[in-house]
Amino acid sequence: MQFSNEAISSGAMARRLSRSTTISYGSRKIVLGGGAPVVVQSMTNTDTTDVIGTAIQIKDLARAGSELVRITVNNAEAAAAVPLIREQLDKMGIDVPLVGDFHYNGHTLLNDFPECAKALSKYRINPGNVGQGAKRDTQFAQMIEIACRYDKPVRIGVNWGSLDQGLLARIMDENAARSTPWNAQSVMYEALIVSAIENAQKAEELGLGKDKIILSCKVSGVQDLIAVYRELATRCDYPLHLGLTEAGMGSKGIVASTAALSVLLQEGIGDTIRISLTPEPGGDRTKEVIVGQEILQTMGLRKFTPMVIACPGCGRTTSTVFQELADDIQTFLRDQMPAWKLDYPGVENMNVAVMGCIVNGPGESKHANIGISLPGTGESPAAPVFVDGVKKMTLRGDNIAGDFQSIVLDYVKTHYGSSAEQKIIK
């Protein structure tokens, strides 16, 4: 049997063709759509009026790899805080673009606080929460006009839980007139899609460039999300933002997000993603960034940090040494990446293997750039280390973890960036 070239490649379908939208701050430019790599974004959960606390969380999210960070702008105090947050980020050297999340009163806040409107790099507008009745169109227009004035991109984000009730009623009436009416679920899907596209068209009519619009139709169910985005992708060429509205907590949220987004990404749908995890009490907000990156990296769509290959353990590996080492080296690699991505370009392609016994240990280690095969239960207390498929040394003693970390660091310095270039020149 011979596999086709297509099967040997990443396996992903061709990316959906979309226009490109650029979100920028200073010299930092993030491109969505147009074939650009899928962008990972996140959102703060601090009180936006807490300028220092919000700036610190944005810094943490950006250092973890969030390429856009959205913040809540829900009242006058929050709007007044936005330029101060931007100022604090500038002092910390954090140039991540900020997205303002507006509901109900966005038209007032953007108008009354022009420094907020200018400090944000992008606005997020939910058509269902812009206003009711005759006020709706006026208030939507005010937000779009301000976006035009300051040349800001807009994500028109429709949500299952806050759908425009007037539009939904219209779609239901149209459905009732069909000779064979759709079921309630299909009607809801149609309302989401129509709301997103019609509001995008209204924004264009008001003067917002088509290259300034991103769409999303977010729901909480995996199959619902897949169905809605498959259809939305066929009806427009705007960049699309993917994510479950409320993914949930812990493993449930991670599994649900991975299941939904992986299907769509594999079909070439999606230009930017957010993993909306409910954090554990006191949990780290950066978890949602790491999950988003790992989805893209394990699918072969992007590279963010060196991959650690580690066995799950079995009766041969009753010692926790290999588990601790795998966790230590993975944390070490991720912690180094903010500096390494500047000093050692290409290091994100590195693979590191941490294996727990002799069964698969040496073989898996040879396939990695750097691999270590730790002794299993009853095996000789020695850990062979392989570099680019060749056994280089055997580690023994109580400091195997520290010694292996030093080997990894030396490999990075000699194989990537300026040190690697100097080595080649010599």
Side-chain angles (χ1 to χ4, degrees):
M1 178 179 179
Q2 184 173 350
F3 287 96
S4 66
N5 290 334
E6 289 77 9
I8 295 170
S9 69
S10 66
M13 293 174 63
R15 289 282 297 280
R16 163 185 169 269
L17 294 177
S18 70
R19 293 174 178 265
S20 64
T21 299
T22 301
I23 296 93
S24 60
Y25 178 71
S27 61
R28 182 83 178 272
K29 297 186 185 302
I30 306 296
V31 180
L32 306 183
V38 180
V39 170
V40 176
Q41 59 180 283
S42 58
M43 184 175 185
T44 59
N45 62 353
T46 54
D47 183 343
T48 306
T49 61
D50 178 3
V51 171
I52 300 301
T54 301
I56 289 172
Q57 188 175 82
I58 292 169
K59 178 198 71 174
D60 292 342
L61 290 167
R63 284 180 59 83
S66 184
E67 294 157 296
L68 298 172
V69 177
R70 182 158 48 112
I71 58 177
T72 297
V73 188
N74 59 329
N75 53 40
E77 293 76 16
V82 170
L84 302 178
I85 293 168
R86 182 74 268 174
E87 182 181 333
Q88 288 297 321
L89 292 171
D90 292 344
K91 290 178 180 178
M92 293 187 286
I94 303 298
D95 61 355
V96 64
L98 299 181
V99 181
D101 193 52
F102 295 97
H103 297 269
Y104 310 112
N105 57 356
H107 60 292
T108 300
L109 297 177
L110 286 170
N111 182 68
D112 293 351
F113 295 89
E115 293 307 311
C116 167
K118 288 187 277 189
L120 294 168
S121 296
K122 175 185 164 195
Y123 309 153
R124 188 273 181 151
I125 302 174
N126 182 343
N129 290 340
V130 169
Q132 300 296 324
K135 292 182 178 180
R136 185 209 171 280
D137 289 346
T138 300
Q139 292 172 182
F140 180 79
Q142 289 174 339
M143 298 181 76
I144 297 301
E145 286 164 3
I146 292 171
C148 293
R149 183 186 312 162
Y150 297 118
D151 196 31
K152 304 293 184 180
V154 173
R155 170 160 71 96
I156 295 175
V158 182
N159 272 13
W160 187 282
S162 53
L163 194 57
D164 182 341
Q165 293 303 300
L167 181 142
L168 178 58
R170 190 192 90 201
I171 298 294
M172 292 175 67
D173 288 343
E174 291 173 358
N175 184 59
R178 290 189 175 95
S179 57
T180 306
W182 297 348
N183 61 32
Q185 187 178 49
S186 296
V187 171
M188 183 66 77
Y189 292 170
E190 180 70 5
L192 286 163
I193 294 165
V194 169
S195 177
I197 293 175
E198 286 191 356
N199 280 284
Q201 291 170 344
K202 287 178 184 176
E204 286 189 61
E205 292 168 4
L206 291 164
L208 190 64
K210 192 166 186 175
D211 63 342
K212 296 290 185 183
I213 300 172
I214 303 100
L215 296 188
S216 66
C217 288
K218 297 176 77 173
V219 297
S220 297
V222 171
Q223 297 297 341
D224 296 320
L225 192 83
I226 293 170
V228 168
Y229 272 89
R230 278 176 171 164
E231 182 62 22
L232 177 63
T234 68
R235 297 201 204 176
C236 70
D237 63 354
Y238 300 106
L240 299 181
H241 169 87
L242 302 186
L244 293 170
T245 302
E246 299 98 7
M249 180 178 285
S251 60
K252 184 270 178 187
I254 294 171
V255 170
S257 294
T258 303
L261 271 58
S262 295
V263 171
L264 293 168
L265 291 167
Q266 186 71 9
E267 295 178 2
I269 299 170
D271 302 289
T272 177
I273 64 173
R274 186 211 167 186
I275 311 302
S276 300
L277 295 179
T278 304
E280 305 285 345
D284 190 344
R285 190 66 164 181
T286 62
K287 181 71 173 179
E288 66 176 47
V289 179
I290 294 170
V291 172
Q293 290 181 330
E294 289 178 346
I295 289 173
L296 295 176
Q297 185 150 347
T298 54
M299 291 184 69
L301 298 177
R302 284 192 70 179
K303 295 289 184 70
F304 297 95
T305 189
M307 290 285 284
V308 176
I309 302 160
C311 68
C314 66
R316 291 177 176 269
T317 56
T318 52
S319 169
T320 61
V321 173
F322 88 94
Q323 298 167 340
E324 292 166 354
L325 178 56
D327 183 60
D328 288 346
I329 199 67
Q330 184 162 280
T331 300
F332 171 73
L333 293 172
R334 186 166 285 280
D335 288 346
Q336 301 307 310
M337 279 309 294
W340 279 3
K341 67 183 179 183
L342 299 176
D343 298 334
Y344 304 111
V347 69
E348 65 275 7
N349 296 302
M350 182 174 69
N351 289 321
V352 178
V354 179
M355 306 303 293
C357 77
I358 200 171
V359 173
N360 289 325
E364 288 283 0
S365 296
K366 288 178 183 178
H367 287 301
N369 296 108
I370 308 174
I372 186 169
S373 179
L374 293 163
T377 305
E379 294 176 10
S380 174
V385 174
F386 298 82
V387 177
D388 290 329
V390 178
K391 182 180 175 182
K392 290 294 185 180
M393 64 200 73
T394 299
L395 301 181
R396 294 180 172 84
D398 297 328
N399 194 36
I400 288 178
D403 292 339
F404 185 62
Q405 186 170 299
S406 297
I407 294 167
V408 171
L409 184 57
D410 182 65
Y411 185 93
V412 170
K413 290 180 177 179
T414 56
H415 286 74
Y416 301 97
S418 58
S419 297
E421 291 170 6
Q422 292 169 7
K423 183 178 180 181
I424 293 171
I425 292 171
K426 292 177 182 178

